[in-house]
Amino acid sequence: MADFVFVLKNVLVVSLAMNMCLIWKISVVDVETLAFRWSSWMNMQQKKLHFHGVCFNGDKDDIREKDAHVSTRTQILATTSSGASPDGAKTVVINLDHGDPTMYENFWKQKRAETTVVTPSWYHISYFSDIKNICWFLEPGLMSAITRLHKVVGNAVTEDRHFVVGTGSSQLYQAALYAVSPHNASGPMNVVSAAPFYSSYPLMTDYLKSGLHKWAGDANEFNKQEPYIELVTSPNNPDGFTRQNVVKGDKGILIHDLAYYWPQYTPILVPADYDIMLFTVSKSTGHAGSRIGWALVKDGEIAKKMTTFIEINTIGVSKDSQIRAAKILQAISDSCDHANQTNADTFFDYSYKLMAQRWKQIREAVNKTELFSLPNFPPETCSFSGRNFGQLPAFAWLKCEGEVDDCEKFLRRNKILTRGGKHFGASMKYVRISMLSREHEFKLLTQRLPAITS
Amino acid sequence: MADFVFVLKNVLVVSLAMNMCLIWKISVVDVETLAFRWSSWMNMQQKKLHFHGVCFNGDKDDIREKDAHVSTRTQILATTSSGASPDGAKTVVINLDHGDPTMYENFWKQKRAETTVVTPSWYHISYFSDIKNICWFLEPGLMSAITRLHKVVGNAVTEDRHFVVGTGSSQLYQAALYAVSPHNASGPMNVVSAAPFYSSYPLMTDYLKSGLHKWAGDANEFNKQEPYIELVTSPNNPDGFTRQNVVKGDKGILIHDLAYYWPQYTPILVPADYDIMLFTVSKSTGHAGSRIGWALVKDGEIAKKMTTFIEINTIGVSKDSQIRAAKILQAISDSCDHANQTNADTFFDYSYKLMAQRWKQIREAVNKTELFSLPNFPPETCSFSGRNFGQLPAFAWLKCEGEVDDCEKFLRRNKILTRGGKHFGASMKYVRISMLSREHEFKLLTQRLPAITS
């Protein structure tokens, strides 16, 4: 009997332990589910999703615009937490509004020692990085890493240029506007870009109602005999095409946004050689969270004024992120230099192959239906990789064919969140879809697009 | 003979080796000297030292002002590379214009494992940190660390507040202006602060000629019957006094800049409980290079608008720096919690003792001459440390007594670079001197001040 009781007690203990484990597991799952449901519910109840000052009315499928573009940050959680279960594939909201470059995460997970940064607490405490440089808050190591990477890739001239680092290229865009706009003019300087243009340009130009500069719309339609700043994004955001300036006039100042002039997105043809060129790690290496961009500037006075803007705006740029970006850029250059000695893919090999695969998949998905179309790009030979290919843009500029007039709304009904053409100064028949998401979100997109019926 | 030749050869080799060493040493010193001389020379040749858009004319001792304050970034190199040799002590330029908080560096050098951050390259790649938070780019770990530290120190109410992170508190100041200024008003909102006010306020308010807000000067003189924003910096930069709002009116919105409300600078009396409160790691822990500030905001709509400003301005804030700041703030809270169990100084013990020592030294130096005076502060009991002391400001607000009308110019002739009173809306008989420099610079200051003759 005593033995039996002993055995029974043991079984009971084991059983209780199992129960505890199960209860714990269930509650963890429930907390996660609840967190998501609470978040979605809260936002639906509030009937607005706030981002860039835009209110998104969940019930009425109607957008009350204040600014340039819509975001739906809550619903990012949807695809992030979804997995790709058969049910989830149909009901989950896919948020491809932002160009959040999470697609490169898996590559970086394979890289450890050579790209990990260790920062003791007494490192780079000062405001200053290099007081002999015009841009006194630029870390010399980042400047070297940028110079080297441009040489390795061959996508920009760095000789005789001044370097300015920014908290992302957004800040550098604003710094460039500040630098080239006359400060004693009678009115603000016109700022134009050919439609479809990056949706944030109008907002970044006008949000402070500056007396220095004002958004003047589509560069193709600009015909005032006044000074102007023309923004040239090449490859272009949203549509991926290579661009040149379009305004015919001699009073223009050009700012070239080259965020996507990297060999995973476009064949590199020549080293870019413009007066003001903007780049960012967000799109080149995928480290958007670090908020690091850089400008290559011919004119020392413009570089000084850009530096002044960043001094006043944020008293410099995070040194922690500059050091991290430097290490990552150096590791990419190292891997390119040693590519023949190792069998491992370099970052640009990996990212090119992934972009090429995604573009193949989205074209296949779109070709299964007559509802949508995508732009086509003629192949050219990349001087960096030697590959012959057409553009592989970071965004798909999708057109709703036929009778659908508001493509963003149409896709939203099908639980795909995109950014509509009107935010880019273009027709509402177009939407911009991020190609840079994590794999499971992209997979859901290519499953869902061909299944949509009009 | 063979032996003699052998010995001679050996001596020759040793002699040559010594020569090589000496030549190498001289060239290294020369390169350093040259770097400094080149830098100084370049700037003197250009006859301007550029910083915040101000031109500093080295030959004529004359300042052509465009903006709010002078900097002399080149000459920072002077004190940094000086050492404190007897000659150097007399001839080297001491730059105490900026509040670069390098005085805490030695404390952080003693802290290793508990404050070192390790960042693999796949960490925090995304733009997003916490999409359920109004401030979607705020790292949850930083929010916890800030909340905890305010509770430990007792210097601010965090309950029922919205947290907004910024690229330093400068960005948050601009975000707050954007958030509280009406966007549909007929003209820009007045922005005031009681003189002497922080020299960057006018510049940060007006540099973009915004239609939303404009600098309206000394709050003590503001008597328009119009809406206004009053900036209250307490303890005040530049003079260290505790402040309240001064404008008598019911149309005002207050922004409290509490960058110096920490127990190394001032006795903590009560947890601050205002509508919009700004803090920064630059002055609390000394990590200016990380560019991390935070705002505690009562009103959710204002927090949303501040978030929108930072979205448009820089699409969020460096996650690398947020993670680092979180680790450092948590380590400070940990050390305060365990202070009774260890004999090691906490950060606030160390920084209080160092500030108290420096204030003792500068008062002794000033008391040796009749040329200068410093403000006096009545002692109060700090609720955090239990210590009874008067303010120990981050800046010495020094007055030139007697016939000297331009104290900045007077000190510059004596190779001490400071920021003159006019930049703070005050008399030119005052200057602001940073108390936060490295030890050797501070030592040079306290040696030189009593030696100055009129």
Side-chain angles (χ1 to χ4, degrees), chain A residues 35 38-39 48 50-53 73-74 76-77 98-102 105 108-109 111-112 115-128 131-134 136 167 170-171 174 178 183 198 203-204 207-212 282-283 286-291 304 308-309 311-321 324 328, chain B residues 35 39 48 50-53 73-74 76-77 98-102 105 108-109 111-112 115-128 131-134 136 167 170-171 174 178 183-184 198 203-204 207-212 282-283 286-291 304 308-309 311-321 324 328:
Chain A
W38 172 82
S39 166
K48 59 186 179 186
H50 170 86
F51 190 87
H52 277 202
R73 64 192 166 87
T74 304
I76 288 164
L77 195 59
H98 297 100
D100 200 25
T102 45
E105 203 173 55
W108 294 114
K109 277 186 182 172
K111 307 287 162 192
R112 301 297 300 214
T115 56
T116 294
V117 176
V118 178
T119 318
S121 56
W122 62 277
Y123 274 27
H124 36 89
I125 271 185
S126 169
Y127 289 102
F128 299 92
I131 52 174
K132 296 187 296 298
N133 197 328
I134 285 178
W136 52 266
T167 309
S170 297
Q171 189 181 36
Q174 293 162 66
Y178 173 85
H183 286 223
Y198 175 34
L203 186 58
M204 290 195 287
Y207 72 125
L208 290 170
K209 296 189 174 181
S210 174
L212 300 181
S282 303
K283 300 298 152 56
H287 291 86
S290 289
R291 314 303 314 115
K304 264 187 196 170
T308 298
F309 175 92
E311 281 169 24
I312 304 170
N313 193 211
T314 55
I315 319 186
V317 174
S318 162
K319 306 217 184 313
D320 311 315
S321 286
R324 187 182 186 212
I328 289 165
Chain B
S39 169
K48 58 187 181 188
H50 171 87
F51 189 86
H52 277 201
R73 62 191 166 87
T74 306
I76 288 164
L77 194 60
H98 298 101
D100 200 24
T102 44
E105 203 173 53
W108 295 115
K109 278 186 182 171
K111 306 288 161 191
R112 299 299 298 212
T115 55
T116 294
V117 177
V118 178
T119 316
S121 56
W122 62 276
Y123 274 27
H124 36 90
I125 271 184
S126 169
Y127 288 103
F128 299 93
I131 51 176
K132 298 187 296 296
N133 196 328
I134 285 176
W136 52 266
T167 309
S170 297
Q171 189 181 35
Q174 293 163 67
Y178 174 84
H183 286 223
N184 298 318
Y198 175 35
L203 186 58
M204 290 194 287
Y207 72 126
L208 290 170
K209 296 190 175 182
S210 174
L212 300 181
S282 303
K283 300 297 152 55
H287 290 85
S290 290
R291 313 303 314 116
K304 264 186 197 169
T308 297
F309 175 91
E311 281 168 26
I312 304 169
N313 193 211
T314 55
I315 321 186
V317 174
S318 161
K319 304 215 184 316
D320 311 316
S321 287
R324 186 182 186 212
I328 288 165

Side-chain angles (χ1 to χ4, degrees), chain B residues 52 56 102 116 146 159 167 179 191 243 245 276 363 405 408:
Chain B
H52 277 201
F56 172 111
T102 44
T116 294
I146 291 168
E159 288 79 15
T167 309
V191 181
R243 284 263 178 115
N245 54 312
I276 304 172
R363 287 192 189 282
D405 289 328
E408 179 186 315

Side-chain angles (χ1 to χ4, degrees), chain A residues 320-336:
Chain A
D320 311 315
S321 286
Q322 289 190 61
I323 300 288
R324 187 182 186 212
K327 187 137 192 174
I328 289 165
L329 298 184
Q330 290 288 17
I332 292 176
S333 295
D334 286 346
S335 73
C336 291

Side-chain angles (χ1 to χ4, degrees), chain A residues 112-305:
Chain A
R112 301 297 300 214
E114 69 270 36
T115 56
T116 294
V117 176
V118 178
T119 318
S121 56
W122 62 277
Y123 274 27
H124 36 89
I125 271 185
S126 169
Y127 289 102
F128 299 92
S129 292
D130 179 5
I131 52 174
K132 296 187 296 298
N133 197 328
I134 285 178
C135 185
W136 52 266
F137 47 79
L138 168 59
E139 285 291 313
L142 179 60
M143 186 167 157
S144 310
I146 291 167
T147 307
R148 183 174 168 215
L149 189 64
H150 281 308
K151 278 191 204 306
V152 167
V153 173
N155 63 338
V157 171
T158 56
E159 288 78 14
D160 301 322
R161 305 297 160 131
H162 303 280
F163 287 62
V164 183
V165 65
T167 309
S169 58
S170 297
Q171 189 181 36
L172 289 162
Y173 166 72
Q174 293 162 66
L177 288 191
Y178 173 85
V180 302
S181 299
H183 286 223
N184 298 318
S186 57
M189 180 95 152
N190 299 291
V191 181
V192 298
S193 188
F197 44 72
Y198 175 34
S199 52
S200 289
Y201 284 150
L203 186 58
M204 290 195 287
T205 309
D206 284 348
Y207 72 125
L208 290 170
K209 296 189 174 181
S210 174
L212 300 181
H213 42 68
K214 67 168 189 231
W215 180 249
D218 185 355
N220 291 307
E221 293 175 12
F222 184 77
N223 53 17
K224 291 182 191 167
Q225 295 304 307
E226 292 175 9
Y228 64 90
I229 299 163
E230 182 175 351
L231 314 169
V232 184
T233 310
S234 184
N236 192 38
N237 172 0
D239 65 7
F241 284 98
T242 298
R243 284 261 178 115
Q244 299 293 332
N245 55 313
V246 300
V247 180
K248 307 280 181 242
D250 57 359
K251 294 182 176 175
I253 296 169
L254 304 182
I255 299 173
H256 279 80
D257 182 346
L258 304 181
Y260 303 96
Y261 193 46
W262 294 98
Q264 69 266 50
Y265 303 120
T266 182
I268 302 301
L269 302 179
V270 291
D273 184 12
Y274 303 108
D275 289 350
I276 305 172
M277 302 189 277
L278 309 183
F279 291 92
T280 166
V281 294
S282 303
K283 300 298 152 56
S284 54
T285 73
H287 291 86
S290 289
R291 314 303 314 115
I292 293 293
W294 65 93
L296 305 179
V297 183
K298 262 188 195 163
D299 183 324
E301 289 305 310
I302 290 175
K304 264 187 196 170
K305 286 181 188 160

